[in-house]
Amino acid sequence: MNVETLSVLLRPRRLEDRIVQAAALVFDVDGTLAETEGIHRRAFNAAFIEAGLDWYWDYRTYKKLLRTTGGKERIRAFARSRFPRVCLSDSVVIALHQRKTRHYGRLIAQHTCRLRPGIASLIRNARARGQALAIATTTTSSNIDDLLSVALDQNWRSLFTAVVAGDDVERKKPAPDVYLEVLARLKQRASDCLAIEDSANGLKAAIAAGIPTLINRSEYFRDDDFSGALAVVDDLTEFGLIPAAGVNHLEEMRFEKVWPDRND
Ligand code: XBP
Ligand code: MG
């Protein structure tokens, strides 16, 4: 057996071990838990129409704009890139972003954005193993609730020990702030946790906080540079299925009841 074949055979096992042995799994939201960026893009465009702006972000434009993390920051970056340059006051940006957030909630409710394959099982099995779960995201707090209360469970918050969103910290990704805040709330060492991300900016943020990171590649960031990641996978199906040792039958039944597998 050559070295390449051997490494392919060994990789999933080692990764499985890293997932199972982590003290906490820290999830990014957009792109990692669900393919939400297309919905964000539509919500921005709906807000622009409503505000009487002739801006339209098509797929390619949005892909470039995603280099700037955070919706308000993205709006400012786009305005600055116009010719002639558009200067927006903070209050105008905030109002425009509030419209966008309302549209995002409406679109998520109307279209029921699903969790990505393997996510529901991974969460369920991690909880059954007694692992802590956390969220470290750039997005607005209400967006997490809009998404997870439908895609995961109405009581999704009770599953996560820490939930930190973009506006909870000073600097957004690629700065490590959201991850550092999560670690402080979890009271865990960075090296004992595992972050699950989908973008280079997210990866930089997690690594800067010292957290080993698994990349769950998503639609918009497929071609990002993921140097430094523990591993890069296209979905988490195989890892979601790692059995939870010692889970009793009753507990399994409770999980089945709370989380009917909508995607796995
Ligand atoms: C997600 C983002 C967010 C959303 C928009 O990054 O960059 O800005 O696109 O959210 P990550 P808001 O997945 O790395 O957390 O408009 O609410 O800011
Ligand atoms: Mg992301």
Side-chain angles (χ1 to χ4, degrees):
M1 196 180 295
N2 65 27
V3 175
E4 236 169 57
T5 319
L6 193 66
S7 71
V8 168
L9 284 174
L10 287 178
R11 198 206 65 170
R13 183 70 248 160
R14 283 213 314 267
L15 203 46
E16 272 186 20
D17 291 344
R18 294 296 291 254
I19 293 171
V20 171
Q21 287 159 11
L25 299 179
V26 187
F27 292 93
D28 166 51
V29 175
D30 295 307
T32 300
L33 293 184
E35 285 284 11
T36 45
E37 283 302 355
I39 302 171
H40 281 293
R41 183 176 73 81
R42 288 181 187 88
F44 280 111
N45 286 329
F48 300 154
I49 292 172
E50 203 177 67
L53 290 164
D54 64 351
W55 296 356
Y56 177 75
W57 291 354
D58 60 17
Y59 182 92
R60 282 182 53 200
T61 307
Y62 194 61
K63 191 172 162 69
K64 284 187 207 141
L65 286 168
L66 279 171
R67 303 268 155 250
T68 305
T69 59
K72 292 186 280 295
E73 293 77 358
R74 198 166 298 147
I75 290 169
R76 278 196 200 94
F78 182 75
R80 274 197 307 270
S81 73
R82 299 286 77 200
F83 185 80
R85 195 183 161 109
V86 180
C87 282
L88 299 178
S89 66
D90 282 354
S91 60
V92 167
V93 171
I94 288 167
L96 193 51
H97 189 256
Q98 277 169 352
R99 286 180 195 268
K100 178 261 166 179
T101 302
R102 271 200 304 276
H103 281 291
Y104 179 83
R106 175 182 62 79
L107 289 167
I108 286 279
Q110 279 172 0
H111 301 290
T112 313
C113 183
R114 286 165 177 250
L115 297 178
R116 290 188 60 192
I119 294 289
S121 301
L122 181 57
I123 288 174
R124 183 179 59 221
N125 285 327
R127 282 302 305 249
R129 284 190 292 265
Q131 286 176 296
L133 299 175
I135 284 179
T137 176
T138 299
T139 205
T140 301
S141 179
S142 66
N143 294 347
I144 315 171
D145 191 44
D146 288 338
L147 174 71
L148 295 187
S149 59
V150 176
L152 188 55
D153 185 83
Q154 202 67 43
N155 298 320
W156 67 271
R157 214 166 255 278
S158 65
L159 306 172
F160 294 87
T161 310
V163 177
V164 182
D167 290 332
D168 296 336
V169 291
E170 205 180 315
R171 298 168 306 163
K172 292 184 176 161
K173 298 173 190 174
D177 300 26
V178 269
Y179 280 103
L180 293 173
E181 182 60 29
V182 158
L183 290 172
R185 294 190 195 179
L186 286 174
K187 299 185 178 63
Q188 294 286 351
R189 282 195 322 203
S191 56
D192 293 338
C193 300
L194 180 75
I196 304 175
E197 270 287 352
D198 73 308
S199 68
N201 276 328
L203 174 64
K204 281 183 197 152
I207 287 179
I211 309 178
T213 306
L214 166 63
I215 295 294
N216 189 22
R217 274 203 315 170
S218 67
E219 196 187 340
Y220 273 97
F221 299 108
R222 302 204 73 73
D223 43 9
D224 269 13
D225 177 2
F226 295 124
S227 313
L230 206 57
V232 179
V233 297
D234 280 321
D235 71 62
L236 293 167
T237 313
E238 61 184 304
F239 305 108
L241 296 175
I242 304 169
V247 178
N248 68 40
H249 185 59
L250 267 180
E251 202 168 1
E252 276 288 16
M253 278 175 54
R254 188 171 65 81
F255 279 121
E256 281 312 316
K257 204 169 155 238
V258 180
W259 295 297
D261 274 347
R262 293 188 183 136
N263 328 290
D264 299 342

PDB file of all heavy atoms in Angstrom, residues 36-51:
ATOM      1  N   THR A  36     -26.790  29.737   3.765  1.00  0.00           N
ATOM      2  CA  THR A  36     -27.630  30.925   3.942  1.00  0.00           C
ATOM      3  C   THR A  36     -27.178  32.138   3.124  1.00  0.00           C
ATOM      4  O   THR A  36     -27.933  33.113   3.031  1.00  0.00           O
ATOM      5  CB  THR A  36     -27.621  31.344   5.419  1.00  0.00           C
ATOM      6  OG1 THR A  36     -26.271  31.292   5.867  1.00  0.00           O
ATOM      7  CG2 THR A  36     -28.489  30.447   6.269  1.00  0.00           C
ATOM      8  N   GLU A  37     -25.954  32.105   2.569  1.00  0.00           N
ATOM      9  CA  GLU A  37     -25.458  33.348   1.958  1.00  0.00           C
ATOM     10  C   GLU A  37     -26.313  33.819   0.788  1.00  0.00           C
ATOM     11  O   GLU A  37     -26.471  35.020   0.579  1.00  0.00           O
ATOM     12  CB  GLU A  37     -23.982  33.228   1.552  1.00  0.00           C
ATOM     13  CG  GLU A  37     -22.993  33.342   2.712  1.00  0.00           C
ATOM     14  CD  GLU A  37     -23.070  34.642   3.524  1.00  0.00           C
ATOM     15  OE1 GLU A  37     -23.839  35.556   3.162  1.00  0.00           O
ATOM     16  OE2 GLU A  37     -22.366  34.715   4.545  1.00  0.00           O
ATOM     17  N   GLY A  38     -26.907  32.871   0.020  1.00  0.00           N
ATOM     18  CA  GLY A  38     -27.799  33.255  -1.083  1.00  0.00           C
ATOM     19  C   GLY A  38     -29.023  33.986  -0.547  1.00  0.00           C
ATOM     20  O   GLY A  38     -29.554  34.898  -1.194  1.00  0.00           O
ATOM     21  N   ILE A  39     -29.459  33.604   0.652  1.00  0.00           N
ATOM     22  CA  ILE A  39     -30.636  34.245   1.261  1.00  0.00           C
ATOM     23  C   ILE A  39     -30.251  35.643   1.770  1.00  0.00           C
ATOM     24  O   ILE A  39     -30.999  36.603   1.615  1.00  0.00           O
ATOM     25  CB  ILE A  39     -31.216  33.362   2.387  1.00  0.00           C
ATOM     26  CG1 ILE A  39     -31.574  31.993   1.800  1.00  0.00           C
ATOM     27  CG2 ILE A  39     -32.441  34.003   3.031  1.00  0.00           C
ATOM     28  CD1 ILE A  39     -31.946  30.938   2.815  1.00  0.00           C
ATOM     29  N   HIS A  40     -29.039  35.730   2.354  1.00  0.00           N
ATOM     30  CA  HIS A  40     -28.549  37.061   2.749  1.00  0.00           C
ATOM     31  C   HIS A  40     -28.512  37.980   1.519  1.00  0.00           C
ATOM     32  O   HIS A  40     -28.939  39.130   1.569  1.00  0.00           O
ATOM     33  CB  HIS A  40     -27.133  36.967   3.332  1.00  0.00           C
ATOM     34  CG  HIS A  40     -27.089  36.498   4.758  1.00  0.00           C
ATOM     35  ND1 HIS A  40     -27.588  37.230   5.815  1.00  0.00           N
ATOM     36  CD2 HIS A  40     -26.590  35.369   5.306  1.00  0.00           C
ATOM     37  CE1 HIS A  40     -27.399  36.570   6.952  1.00  0.00           C
ATOM     38  NE2 HIS A  40     -26.795  35.426   6.662  1.00  0.00           N
ATOM     39  N   ARG A  41     -27.994  37.463   0.408  1.00  0.00           N
ATOM     40  CA  ARG A  41     -27.865  38.284  -0.815  1.00  0.00           C
ATOM     41  C   ARG A  41     -29.245  38.792  -1.252  1.00  0.00           C
ATOM     42  O   ARG A  41     -29.419  39.979  -1.522  1.00  0.00           O
ATOM     43  CB  ARG A  41     -27.230  37.440  -1.929  1.00  0.00           C
ATOM     44  CG  ARG A  41     -26.980  38.219  -3.209  1.00  0.00           C
ATOM     45  CD  ARG A  41     -26.261  37.384  -4.246  1.00  0.00           C
ATOM     46  NE  ARG A  41     -27.097  36.372  -4.863  1.00  0.00           N
ATOM     47  CZ  ARG A  41     -27.964  36.602  -5.855  1.00  0.00           C
ATOM     48  NH1 ARG A  41     -28.102  37.818  -6.343  1.00  0.00           N
ATOM     49  NH2 ARG A  41     -28.674  35.611  -6.360  1.00  0.00           N
ATOM     50  N   ARG A  42     -30.230  37.917  -1.272  1.00  0.00           N
ATOM     51  CA  ARG A  42     -31.587  38.334  -1.674  1.00  0.00           C
ATOM     52  C   ARG A  42     -32.158  39.357  -0.686  1.00  0.00           C
ATOM     53  O   ARG A  42     -32.843  40.299  -1.083  1.00  0.00           O
ATOM     54  CB  ARG A  42     -32.512  37.127  -1.752  1.00  0.00           C
ATOM     55  CG  ARG A  42     -32.211  36.247  -2.944  1.00  0.00           C
ATOM     56  CD  ARG A  42     -33.154  35.058  -3.034  1.00  0.00           C
ATOM     57  NE  ARG A  42     -32.744  34.156  -4.090  1.00  0.00           N
ATOM     58  CZ  ARG A  42     -31.861  33.160  -3.923  1.00  0.00           C
ATOM     59  NH1 ARG A  42     -31.319  32.949  -2.754  1.00  0.00           N
ATOM     60  NH2 ARG A  42     -31.523  32.394  -4.944  1.00  0.00           N
ATOM     61  N   ALA A  43     -31.860  39.162   0.586  1.00  0.00           N
ATOM     62  CA  ALA A  43     -32.371  40.098   1.607  1.00  0.00           C
ATOM     63  C   ALA A  43     -31.754  41.494   1.415  1.00  0.00           C
ATOM     64  O   ALA A  43     -32.450  42.507   1.537  1.00  0.00           O
ATOM     65  CB  ALA A  43     -32.053  39.560   3.002  1.00  0.00           C
ATOM     66  N   PHE A  44     -30.443  41.532   1.107  1.00  0.00           N
ATOM     67  CA  PHE A  44     -29.818  42.840   0.824  1.00  0.00           C
ATOM     68  C   PHE A  44     -30.517  43.502  -0.370  1.00  0.00           C
ATOM     69  O   PHE A  44     -30.882  44.681  -0.319  1.00  0.00           O
ATOM     70  CB  PHE A  44     -28.320  42.660   0.493  1.00  0.00           C
ATOM     71  CG  PHE A  44     -27.430  42.498   1.701  1.00  0.00           C
ATOM     72  CD1 PHE A  44     -26.810  41.283   1.984  1.00  0.00           C
ATOM     73  CD2 PHE A  44     -27.186  43.571   2.554  1.00  0.00           C
ATOM     74  CE1 PHE A  44     -25.985  41.127   3.085  1.00  0.00           C
ATOM     75  CE2 PHE A  44     -26.349  43.425   3.660  1.00  0.00           C
ATOM     76  CZ  PHE A  44     -25.755  42.201   3.922  1.00  0.00           C
ATOM     77  N   ASN A  45     -30.724  42.728  -1.454  1.00  0.00           N
ATOM     78  CA  ASN A  45     -31.339  43.303  -2.660  1.00  0.00           C
ATOM     79  C   ASN A  45     -32.756  43.797  -2.392  1.00  0.00           C
ATOM     80  O   ASN A  45     -33.157  44.851  -2.898  1.00  0.00           O
ATOM     81  CB  ASN A  45     -31.316  42.277  -3.803  1.00  0.00           C
ATOM     82  CG  ASN A  45     -29.914  42.115  -4.372  1.00  0.00           C
ATOM     83  OD1 ASN A  45     -29.119  43.067  -4.371  1.00  0.00           O
ATOM     84  ND2 ASN A  45     -29.588  40.930  -4.845  1.00  0.00           N
ATOM     85  N   ALA A  46     -33.511  43.050  -1.582  1.00  0.00           N
ATOM     86  CA  ALA A  46     -34.881  43.478  -1.242  1.00  0.00           C
ATOM     87  C   ALA A  46     -34.842  44.787  -0.455  1.00  0.00           C
ATOM     88  O   ALA A  46     -35.668  45.688  -0.670  1.00  0.00           O
ATOM     89  CB  ALA A  46     -35.574  42.388  -0.434  1.00  0.00           C
ATOM     90  N   ALA A  47     -33.854  44.907   0.438  1.00  0.00           N
ATOM     91  CA  ALA A  47     -33.726  46.135   1.241  1.00  0.00           C
ATOM     92  C   ALA A  47     -33.356  47.321   0.343  1.00  0.00           C
ATOM     93  O   ALA A  47     -33.855  48.435   0.535  1.00  0.00           O
ATOM     94  CB  ALA A  47     -32.662  45.946   2.320  1.00  0.00           C
ATOM     95  N   PHE A  48     -32.510  47.079  -0.653  1.00  0.00           N
ATOM     96  CA  PHE A  48     -32.114  48.174  -1.563  1.00  0.00           C
ATOM     97  C   PHE A  48     -33.321  48.682  -2.341  1.00  0.00           C
ATOM     98  O   PHE A  48     -33.514  49.893  -2.494  1.00  0.00           O
ATOM     99  CB  PHE A  48     -31.016  47.703  -2.541  1.00  0.00           C
ATOM    100  CG  PHE A  48     -29.741  47.230  -1.874  1.00  0.00           C
ATOM    101  CD1 PHE A  48     -28.895  46.311  -2.504  1.00  0.00           C
ATOM    102  CD2 PHE A  48     -29.378  47.713  -0.623  1.00  0.00           C
ATOM    103  CE1 PHE A  48     -27.731  45.872  -1.893  1.00  0.00           C
ATOM    104  CE2 PHE A  48     -28.207  47.275  -0.004  1.00  0.00           C
ATOM    105  CZ  PHE A  48     -27.390  46.351  -0.636  1.00  0.00           C
ATOM    106  N   ILE A  49     -34.149  47.761  -2.835  1.00  0.00           N
ATOM    107  CA  ILE A  49     -35.358  48.159  -3.598  1.00  0.00           C
ATOM    108  C   ILE A  49     -36.259  48.997  -2.690  1.00  0.00           C
ATOM    109  O   ILE A  49     -36.700  50.087  -3.042  1.00  0.00           O
ATOM    110  CB  ILE A  49     -36.128  46.917  -4.114  1.00  0.00           C
ATOM    111  CG1 ILE A  49     -35.304  46.206  -5.184  1.00  0.00           C
ATOM    112  CG2 ILE A  49     -37.506  47.312  -4.650  1.00  0.00           C
ATOM    113  CD1 ILE A  49     -35.882  44.867  -5.624  1.00  0.00           C
ATOM    114  N   GLU A  50     -36.484  48.469  -1.479  1.00  0.00           N
ATOM    115  CA  GLU A  50     -37.382  49.145  -0.534  1.00  0.00           C
ATOM    116  C   GLU A  50     -36.880  50.550  -0.183  1.00  0.00           C
ATOM    117  O   GLU A  50     -37.668  51.466   0.014  1.00  0.00           O
ATOM    118  CB  GLU A  50     -37.448  48.289   0.741  1.00  0.00           C
ATOM    119  CG  GLU A  50     -38.680  48.492   1.570  1.00  0.00           C
ATOM    120  CD  GLU A  50     -38.640  47.538   2.764  1.00  0.00           C
ATOM    121  OE1 GLU A  50     -37.773  47.707   3.648  1.00  0.00           O
ATOM    122  OE2 GLU A  50     -39.460  46.616   2.787  1.00  0.00           O
ATOM    123  N   ALA A  51     -35.558  50.695  -0.143  1.00  0.00           N
ATOM    124  CA  ALA A  51     -34.975  51.996   0.231  1.00  0.00           C
ATOM    125  C   ALA A  51     -34.832  52.921  -0.983  1.00  0.00           C
ATOM    126  O   ALA A  51     -34.325  54.044  -0.859  1.00  0.00           O
ATOM    127  CB  ALA A  51     -33.610  51.777   0.880  1.00  0.00           C
TER     128      ALA A  51
END
